[in-house]
Amino acid sequence: MPTTRPLPPATTEGWVESPHGRTWYRITGDLDVSRARGHAPLVVLHGGPGFPHDYLLNIARLAETGRAVVHYDQLGCGRSTHLPDADPSLWTVGLFLDELDVLLARLGITEDHTVLGQSWGGMLATEHAVRRPAGLRGLVLADTPASMPLWSSGVARLRRALPREVQEVLDRHEAAGTTGSPEYTEAAQAFYDRHLLRIEPYPPEVASSFAQWVEDPTVYRTMVGPSEFDVIGTLRDWSVVDRLASVGVPVLVLRGEQDEATAESVAPFAEFIAGAQLRVFPESSHMPHIEQEAAFRDAVAAFLAKCDVDGKGVKRPSPRGEES
């Protein structure tokens, strides 16, 4: 269950300028102290696309281990520049990879960082990793598919298990192109209650992300579509399966037992990435970082600690050459 104590406040907040606007970020902890101690800072990539970072804020509690944690809002959502009138062709994987590169450079951690990506954020994190960036120390993929066709196939199976009357409402509105109707939204919620987040009411930080997403769903509607199970956007054919062998860092794959990121959609990570570890949270759906927060955080903390150690079990030197 979610931890009731307050979320950690930001140590630093700011913006990074890019050709398309400003990217907002927040840091919990101290980047310099983290790196001096041999702890590569953790950069957290949110999902959606276009679903602001707030729902992932409890991951900032990892800063209590001495590791700085960076959250940011990707372009098009949250506190970053919104571009509701932009040409749809703007919203590409390449745009968000470039944005991540600019952020890493601005924070001075290009040569020393770890990444946790949740859902779409994990897709983006994998795209970052397959380029084999020299400074990437480890990768956590939470609730992330290796391809959208695999995602869609798994989600279709979950959808067929919904009550027949719910399926009929979804089918009718999708066929009519009326997926913006309240009836469709209500029917979609039946799926989300099973496979997105199995906690009611939603914690405030999750509710905040949803409220912001509803206010401006531009990026999501362009890249995904009207819902998690009607993927007709530009990501519909996305896949990284044939490039996974290029990942050269330790990888931890996490999912919930009732996750909309089904077992078949995450299987290629374990199959094609050497040494990738898989952990399934039995009481969770798409947000085990909320539903089983302590177990999730402990798993990530233990994995990241190992990423701070080289293959011989010796602490790697800190960027300043100090003993870790």
Side-chain angles (χ1 to χ4, degrees):
M1 294 295 292
T3 301
T4 56
R5 59 193 174 94
L7 294 167
T11 305
T12 305
E13 296 185 16
W15 283 268
V16 173
E17 301 288 342
S18 74
H20 300 289
R22 301 200 304 172
T23 297
W24 176 90
Y25 68 87
R26 59 164 275 163
I27 303 169
T28 310
D30 188 296
L31 293 176
D32 290 336
V33 171
S34 178
R35 298 179 70 200
R37 292 176 176 173
H39 303 316
L42 177 65
V43 182
V44 181
L45 277 56
H46 66 71
F51 199 74
H53 81 284
D54 306 60
Y55 77 105
L56 293 169
L57 272 175
N58 67 8
I59 294 174
R61 293 194 174 106
L62 285 167
E64 295 169 359
T65 68
R67 185 184 310 277
V69 180
V70 179
H71 287 79
Y72 72 103
D73 284 329
Q74 297 158 25
L75 284 166
C77 73
R79 295 155 183 78
S80 295
T81 298
H82 288 236
L83 298 163
D85 299 319
D87 190 297
S89 64
L90 173 69
W91 305 113
T92 64
V93 172
L95 170 74
F96 294 109
L97 284 173
D98 290 344
E99 179 185 35
L100 176 58
D101 285 344
V102 170
L103 177 68
L104 295 173
R106 169 67 175 79
L107 299 181
I109 57 174
T110 300
E111 299 304 321
D112 194 35
H113 62 280
T114 55
V115 172
L116 184 155
Q118 197 274 337
S119 195
W120 145 256
M123 296 160 62
L124 182 60
T126 309
E127 290 278 5
H128 177 64
V130 299
R131 299 186 301 171
R132 300 182 70 89
L136 180 63
R137 308 300 182 198
L139 184 67
V140 180
L141 302 175
D143 322 291
T144 296
S147 87
M148 287 308 287
L150 287 174
W151 166 280
S152 295
S153 175
V155 165
R157 173 173 56 78
L158 298 176
R159 174 169 163 163
R160 289 192 295 270
L162 293 173
R164 182 174 298 277
E165 60 272 20
V166 173
Q167 296 183 57
E168 290 174 350
V169 170
L170 296 173
D171 291 342
R172 183 173 72 252
H173 283 287
E174 288 168 6
T178 53
T179 54
S181 75
E183 187 182 34
Y184 183 86
T185 299
E186 182 179 353
Q189 190 63 46
F191 177 90
Y192 297 148
D193 288 344
R194 290 187 181 190
H195 303 296
L196 182 70
L197 180 58
R198 297 161 68 90
I199 289 176
E200 292 183 325
Y202 288 169
E205 66 272 21
V206 178
S208 174
S209 285
F210 269 105
Q212 294 175 72
W213 171 75
V214 168
E215 187 174 337
D216 185 1
T218 301
V219 187
Y220 182 89
R221 293 286 172 84
T222 301
M223 298 184 76
V224 177
S227 70
E228 304 287 88
F229 39 77
D230 191 18
V231 182
I232 58 175
T234 56
L235 285 175
R236 63 185 176 275
D237 297 320
W238 176 88
S239 176
V240 76
V241 173
D242 62 349
R243 293 174 283 150
L244 289 175
S246 298
V247 177
V249 296
V251 175
L252 176 63
V253 182
L254 307 172
R255 62 175 293 270
E257 182 67 39
Q258 301 301 322
D259 208 322
E260 58 183 346
T262 57
E264 57 261 45
S265 74
V266 307
F269 295 125
E271 182 177 356
F272 296 112
I273 300 177
Q277 306 170 41
L278 173 63
R279 168 81 179 269
V280 179
F281 295 89
E283 300 173 14
S284 295
S285 55
H286 196 54
M287 296 191 190
H289 70 281
I290 297 287
E291 294 158 296
Q292 292 181 257
E293 179 182 353
F296 181 95
R297 187 169 61 250
D298 289 348
V300 173
F303 172 77
L304 293 178
K306 292 179 180 178
C307 293
D308 291 331
V309 178
D310 70 19
K312 297 179 181 180
V314 178
K315 278 283 190 179
R316 60 182 177 83
S318 74
R320 296 179 177 178
E322 302 169 10
E323 289 296 324
S324 301

